[in-house]
Amino acid sequence: MANARLTALEALRRVNEDDGYSNLVLDQALKQAGLDERDRSLASILFYGVLEHRITLDWVISKYSSKPISKVSPKVRDILRMGIYQLAYLDKVPPSAAVNESVKLTRVCGQERASGFVNGVLRSFARSHCDLQLPNERELPFAYRSIRYSCPEWLIRMWNKAYGEENTLGLLASLEGRPPLAARINTCKGNDRDLLEKWSKEGIKVREVEGIPHAVCLEQTGSIEQLSAFQRGEFHVQDLASQIACWVLGPQPGERVIDVCSAPGGKAFTMAQMMENRGQLLSFDLYPAKVRLIEEGAKRLGLPIIQAAVRDARNDPEFVPKANRVLCDAPCSGLGIIRRKPEIRYKNSNTLDSLPDLQYLILCKSSELVEKGGILLYSTCTLNPKENGKVADKFLKGYPEFVPYPIKLPKWVIRHDWEPSHQLTLLPHLHGTDGFFLSAFQRLR
């Protein structure tokens, strides 16, 4: 029974039990199922819908279930989540279909004994006109926001303390819906106008991004890899935040640039294009498979100055020549890309505790690769002050040979009055980017 709901259910299991990445898990599940376009779409909607609203859905289950949610088996719990999601959020799915198909799933999945239980919970919810019964916002603001936006309270409280209530509400609202698909035009393959005209004739819908050179948003593309413009290497997919990071570092033609944690290579590709394919760009990563991804991307885009290799950014005794500019995009908790990978929000907060030490170590080691007068850029795709500003501040205190390097940005980029001139936090609801952090330093001696 390879249908949309079963496919979504299996994909959810792989994320929940195997800690799989949502985008990779879904792609694999869809390929294995061999669904038609309509069912592929429904499976994707159900999969991401349940991941994005899991806290809300579990709240509903707890209100309408006769047993504690912790006592419900994982498979039945996901069936209930899918059923409630359809009832509460999908207008085009009739309530009877949402209930009946959920009951069928219990039988297909060997959970037939739970069919009556699933039927009872979903019908009770439907009879209540799908009332979510949220906590009182005035009396319990954090509990309300946690359940309303399906975001853990610890994360909401952290954002509230770091960025203020207004920005926190904006961040929570930005978690809903799919993010824009941004790309960078490959200026080594032609100029923007000619390439955009060619894409338009091929039916590719593109919107130029004001203020970011060569950046575009792609719309209604279907499979990116199947586009002829992609196969010709005329663009690569890259969020606007990463493009801004490259713009801030500002690599120039003829320079030596090092990207210490490079995979999957988007920043290296953009920097190589900014360098007009002149100079040397050393692109490192810890894992051979990821290095191969960088090499394949550089070949497709026609960027021979990129030299990809395996290297441990924490401790590599091999000699690496010093560079004019070094990008240290450190491993992080990913709290700035939750809308792309919704499962990230459900991480245990304790798993974040060891990251700042790792990031500081990588930043310190990366600083050894910067020549006198050179620029070092530290970046993450997370929104956590402990991984961002605190790591950057600690580095400056421990390495007096480096000084803050003021970040120069176009006027349209909103700056926060609580940040020094060498740091920048990008927020999705303000900048239209992923959540991102940048801090720039210059080596004086």
Side-chain angles (χ1 to χ4, degrees):
M1 180 185 172
N3 64 24
R5 290 175 174 84
L6 186 61
T7 301
L9 182 66
E10 173 58 19
L12 288 168
R13 183 198 64 77
R14 294 180 195 174
V15 171
N16 296 335
E17 296 180 15
D18 302 338
D19 293 326
Y21 293 115
S22 56
N23 57 328
L24 301 179
V25 164
L26 182 62
D27 286 347
Q28 184 180 20
L30 292 175
K31 288 178 182 177
Q32 290 176 344
L35 305 174
D36 61 29
E37 194 59 38
R38 181 180 175 182
D39 278 350
R40 285 174 63 90
S41 176
L42 178 58
S44 300
I45 290 170
L46 293 175
F47 173 76
Y48 277 115
V50 169
L51 281 182
E52 290 167 4
H53 296 87
R54 197 172 85 187
I55 291 176
T56 313
L57 300 174
D58 286 356
W59 168 265
V60 173
I61 294 171
S62 69
K63 290 295 180 183
Y64 291 91
S65 170
S66 59
K67 63 174 76 172
I69 192 169
S70 60
K71 300 293 185 181
V72 180
S73 73
K75 192 167 288 187
V76 173
R77 192 160 58 229
D78 277 336
I79 291 173
L80 282 172
R81 287 167 176 166
M82 284 173 51
I84 290 168
Y85 175 73
Q86 292 168 77
L87 290 168
Y89 297 98
L90 298 187
D91 295 335
K92 293 183 179 180
V93 177
S96 58
V99 175
N100 294 337
E101 291 299 322
S102 298
V103 172
K104 285 181 184 178
L105 273 180
T106 64
R107 295 166 182 155
V108 173
C109 299
Q111 304 290 319
E112 188 169 4
R113 292 178 62 184
S115 61
F117 170 67
V118 168
N119 183 68
V121 171
L122 296 183
R123 290 196 182 279
S124 294
F125 182 54
R127 282 196 300 269
S128 76
H129 304 289
C130 300
D131 181 7
L132 299 178
Q133 298 186 36
L134 299 178
N136 184 286
E137 183 176 9
R138 181 173 295 181
E139 295 176 1
L140 299 167
F142 288 104
Y144 169 84
R145 291 165 189 170
S146 175
I147 296 165
R148 163 67 179 81
Y149 294 102
S150 194
C151 190
E153 279 196 45
W154 70 263
L155 181 52
I156 298 173
R157 290 179 184 276
M158 184 183 75
W159 284 346
N160 208 70
K161 182 179 179 181
Y163 310 120
E165 184 172 33
E166 185 178 347
N167 280 325
T168 298
L169 291 174
L171 284 169
L172 291 171
S174 75
L175 299 181
E176 300 184 319
R178 309 306 302 150
L181 180 64
R184 209 268 186 184
I185 296 174
N186 186 356
T187 48
C188 293
K189 293 275 187 174
N191 62 64
D192 290 15
R193 177 178 295 180
D194 290 346
L195 290 175
L196 289 173
E197 286 181 359
K198 184 194 297 186
W199 298 357
S200 178
K201 292 177 182 177
E202 294 176 357
I204 302 174
K205 293 187 177 182
V206 179
R207 174 175 58 83
E208 294 184 74
V209 178
E210 184 177 354
I212 305 180
H214 318 300
V216 295
C217 283
L218 306 177
E219 301 173 0
Q220 300 175 357
T221 59
S223 173
I224 291 293
E225 291 80 4
Q226 299 303 315
L227 295 176
S228 55
F230 179 87
Q231 295 171 355
R232 293 193 299 266
E234 293 171 354
F235 74 88
H236 67 273
V237 173
Q238 184 184 28
D239 185 71
L240 300 177
S242 295
Q243 297 190 49
I244 291 174
C246 297
W247 192 88
V248 168
L249 186 58
Q252 301 298 309
E255 291 185 332
R256 177 183 291 119
V257 176
I258 298 176
D259 186 355
V260 300
C261 300
S262 189
K267 298 181 191 68
F269 303 152
T270 291
M271 291 191 293
Q273 293 163 23
M274 294 173 69
M275 295 165 68
E276 299 173 2
N277 243 339
R278 291 188 283 131
Q280 184 182 39
L281 203 160
L282 304 178
S283 180
F284 297 121
D285 198 85
L286 181 60
Y287 302 103
K290 291 187 175 182
V291 170
R292 286 193 292 274
L293 283 178
I294 299 169
E295 291 173 334
E296 291 168 3
K299 183 178 180 180
R300 178 180 63 83
L301 295 163
L303 303 172
I305 69 166
I306 294 178
Q307 300 174 30
V310 174
R311 179 178 181 272
D312 188 342
R314 299 166 298 183
N315 184 26
D316 189 338
E318 294 294 324
F319 171 76
V320 176
K322 285 182 166 53
N324 306 99
R325 301 173 201 267
V326 174
L327 173 60
C328 175
D329 187 53
C332 68
S333 58
L335 298 177
I337 57 172
I338 289 176
R339 59 182 183 169
R340 297 189 186 279
K341 297 180 179 179
E343 70 277 10
I344 287 175
R345 74 185 83 188
Y346 307 118
K347 285 182 176 180
N348 189 314
S349 60
N350 295 332
T351 62
L352 278 59
D353 293 343
S354 62
L355 283 170
D357 289 340
L358 172 64
Q359 292 154 344
Y360 180 69
L361 172 62
I362 292 176
L363 179 57
C364 295
K365 290 293 183 180
S366 300
S367 71
E368 299 172 4
L369 304 176
V370 184
E371 66 178 20
K372 182 181 177 181
I375 307 302
L376 171 64
L377 184 67
Y378 172 70
S379 67
T380 73
C381 60
T382 195
L383 295 174
N384 177 8
K386 290 182 179 179
E387 299 178 65
N388 295 342
K390 290 190 176 182
V391 171
D393 293 343
K394 182 179 178 181
F395 173 75
L396 279 176
K397 290 178 182 177
Y399 286 76
E401 61 269 35
F402 283 86
V403 296
Y405 183 75
I407 293 174
K408 297 178 182 179
L409 293 165
K411 292 181 180 179
W412 66 268
V413 177
I414 298 171
R415 298 299 300 263
H416 310 291
D417 55 14
W418 39 265
E419 279 190 308
S421 62
H422 69 290
Q423 294 181 10
L424 174 67
T425 299
L426 297 169
L427 301 176
H429 65 287
L430 291 182
H431 301 97
T433 67
D434 287 341
F436 211 83
F437 174 80
L438 303 169
S439 187
F441 318 94
Q442 185 172 28
R443 185 176 201 130
L444 293 187
R445 60 184 188 275

